[in-house]
Amino acid sequence: MIKRLALALLVLAALLAWPSPATAHGRSAEADVRFAQTIAGMELTVVVRASIRVPAPLQVDVVAHDPGRGGPVELAVRSVEDGASSAASVRIEAGRPGMYPAILRAGRVGPHELEVRAGAERSVLPFTLSVPRAPLWEVIVYASFACAAVALIGALVGAALRRRAVASGFAGAFAVAIVVAFTTGALSPWFAPEGAPDPRTLTRPNAQPLVEVAPGRPGLGAAFRLRVTLFDGSTGGLADDLAEHHAALTHLVVTSDDGRFFRHVHPIRIAPGVYEVGLRAERPGRHHAYAEFERTGAGGQLVSGAFTVDGTGHPGHAGHPAPTGAAPVTEPARPVAGRPVRITLDTGATALRPWLGMAGHLIVRSQDSGYLGHVHEARSMADATAVPAPDESVARYGPRLEFVFSFPRPGRYSAWIQYVRDYRIVTVPHVIEVAEEGSGR
Ligand SMILES: [Cu+2]
């Protein structure tokens, strides 16, 4: 009787000690795929949430940072390999920024296309759907523990039945399995995990960009389209291998010469290698466009283009509404070229969500438009090394945003700080005068 009880307790202990593979892999923000998209007058981030397995429902969240006039957003996910697709739609409400979730279906892993349609616009975004796979060492550890549990039960049954040979055979198997499990577990840190490719091995040439507007000279107050076409310099074909870079395939900053017009938008992919965004001209004169993207295997690029808006005067609204709240503070108060400047902004909000993976963005342009700088909020940069792609559903920053920036040359700079409050993008324009070193100012 006591023996049977001991046997039952031991079996129970073995079962409790059993490591559960189901809890070994959680959903991580790291594996989410993010695409910021400026489509049909809306500023959205479409997030394909990481799945644990396929086939399974696939969660796709549409985060509306600027809902514009709202309307339906049609989503479709298609496997490139077998063509199987799944669709869903969300209805963005005008004046209601926020998270709009949709549930689609994923049948398999591998290359996929996410189609986003809104208004008359359609964007097709390539991505790879993957599910976490246990590394070999983990499989060996689990399998050894499974063998150990079976051997333990065998040994105990053998002992209970007074079959000495059986019991000692199972006991030996149990010991071997435990040694294998613990040895593999102890050696696991030496099995190199799959990481990001070494940036020093980047071998692809940069993409050759063409920045164009249609019509060629937009009229003041009129809508126009800005297109970035990427070519491969050697083949002359389109370069269609952009990597997700700060939660988008392409980031585009458009400013007027006087700095009063500023847009930070995310062109949609209308065809392989072709990115386009609809804008409205609000200031006359020369404009500068800067596109930031990363070609797979080639690293990041910043390219620029210019165009002129015809007309004179002021059609009314230009740039973003003046933000309420404190103005940015620079430290030292008179920045000097080549020396780091601390720029802080009190947002007055204690729960800021990351936008494009960061708590805040600082974009700086020289007066002659020849220089564009872009840095991220200092604390979220530290976070980003620990937690890749902080999740926009978690409010974790504020109220103070802090940037460190070194201006290359003396002169007047236009600066814009951007952050997200209650899902809405806030843009704070600022002008910074930078003195020459040793000028005694
Ligand atoms: Cu951007």
Side-chain angles (χ1 to χ4, degrees):
M1 181 65 199
I2 291 169
K3 266 186 191 160
R4 278 192 194 163
L5 191 65
L7 174 76
L9 280 175
L10 274 165
V11 170
L12 187 66
L15 285 174
L16 284 177
W18 184 262
S20 162
T23 56
H25 302 281
R27 200 180 70 181
S28 76
E30 191 178 342
D32 293 350
V33 181
R34 289 173 161 70
F35 294 110
Q37 292 277 276
T38 307
I39 186 165
M42 298 182 276
E43 181 65 36
L44 312 174
T45 301
V46 185
V47 187
V48 181
R49 298 292 178 191
S51 350
I52 297 169
R53 63 194 155 82
V54 283
L58 181 70
Q59 190 179 341
V60 178
D61 290 333
V62 178
V63 187
H65 291 296
D66 180 353
R69 273 183 255 147
V73 173
E74 313 284 344
L75 303 165
V77 165
R78 193 179 72 87
S79 161
V80 172
E81 279 167 357
D82 67 3
S85 72
S86 155
S89 77
V90 295
R91 176 165 283 277
I92 308 293
E93 283 176 51
R96 228 204 88 205
M99 181 98 75
Y100 294 79
I103 301 291
L104 288 86
R105 206 171 162 76
R108 60 192 297 163
V109 294
H112 278 69
E113 284 180 342
L114 169 68
E115 183 191 80
V116 182
R117 273 190 300 138
E121 297 188 55
R122 174 178 178 267
S123 182
V124 177
L125 305 157
F127 72 100
T128 303
L129 189 74
S130 56
V131 294
R133 244 183 50 190
L136 182 63
W137 68 264
E138 218 174 285
V139 175
I140 294 174
V141 169
Y142 290 136
S144 307
F145 274 123
C147 293
V150 171
L152 180 65
I153 293 166
L156 291 167
V157 170
L161 299 176
R162 294 173 199 271
R163 299 276 174 87
R164 224 185 135 140
V166 173
S168 59
F170 274 116
F174 173 78
V176 169
I178 288 292
V179 167
V180 169
F182 278 99
T183 309
T184 311
L187 290 178
S188 65
W190 280 273
F191 296 100
E194 291 166 47
D198 188 332
R200 284 167 299 184
T201 63
L202 296 176
T203 53
R204 314 280 307 275
N206 278 342
Q208 313 299 312
L210 200 57
V211 180
E212 300 161 300
V213 289
R217 286 178 81 94
L220 187 60
F224 66 98
R225 298 193 73 81
L226 194 152
R227 177 183 289 191
V228 180
T229 311
L230 301 175
F231 295 95
D232 183 285
S234 49
T235 66
L238 292 161
D240 188 38
D241 46 7
L242 295 192
E244 180 193 339
H245 170 73
H246 295 309
L249 291 179
T250 313
H251 300 261
L252 183 78
V253 168
V254 183
T255 66
S256 60
D257 235 357
D258 62 6
R260 290 185 61 182
F261 178 87
F262 170 85
R263 289 287 184 281
H264 172 186
V265 290
H266 303 94
I268 59 173
R269 180 176 171 273
I270 59 162
V274 186
Y275 297 84
E276 203 177 275
V277 66
L279 296 164
R280 186 170 293 278
E282 290 169 1
R283 295 290 299 167
R286 201 79 177 141
H287 283 63
H288 298 268
Y290 309 85
E292 199 185 296
F293 54 85
E294 183 184 324
R295 192 179 186 190
T296 304
Q301 282 181 259
L302 177 69
V303 304
S304 61
F307 62 94
T308 300
V309 172
D310 271 340
T312 52
H314 195 288
H317 170 78
H320 293 261
T324 51
V329 174
T330 54
E331 192 189 333
R334 293 208 175 275
V336 170
R339 299 264 188 85
V341 183
R342 187 182 306 275
I343 301 163
T344 51
L345 176 71
D346 185 358
T347 63
T350 51
L352 299 178
R353 292 168 208 276
W355 181 45
L356 309 171
M358 299 288 167
H361 301 258
L362 170 70
I363 295 170
V364 168
R365 199 205 75 183
S366 62
Q367 193 163 28
D368 67 1
S369 307
Y371 173 84
L372 186 91
H374 176 184
V375 293
H376 296 133
E377 204 271 339
R379 199 151 44 95
S380 54
M381 269 164 66
D383 273 12
T385 53
V387 191
D391 201 311
E392 59 290 296
S393 62
V394 184
R396 63 170 90 204
Y397 303 109
R400 236 167 63 104
L401 296 179
E402 186 179 306
F403 302 89
V404 176
F405 195 79
S406 298
F407 294 86
R409 295 277 182 272
R412 173 181 285 226
Y413 290 82
S414 295
W416 297 268
I417 291 175
Q418 294 194 292
Y419 63 93
V420 159
R421 179 177 188 173
D422 301 328
Y423 290 107
R424 203 183 292 270
I425 300 161
V426 181
T427 303
V428 182
H430 191 51
V431 173
I432 299 173
E433 296 283 353
V434 178
E436 198 162 347
E437 190 168 8
S439 67
R441 283 178 61 185

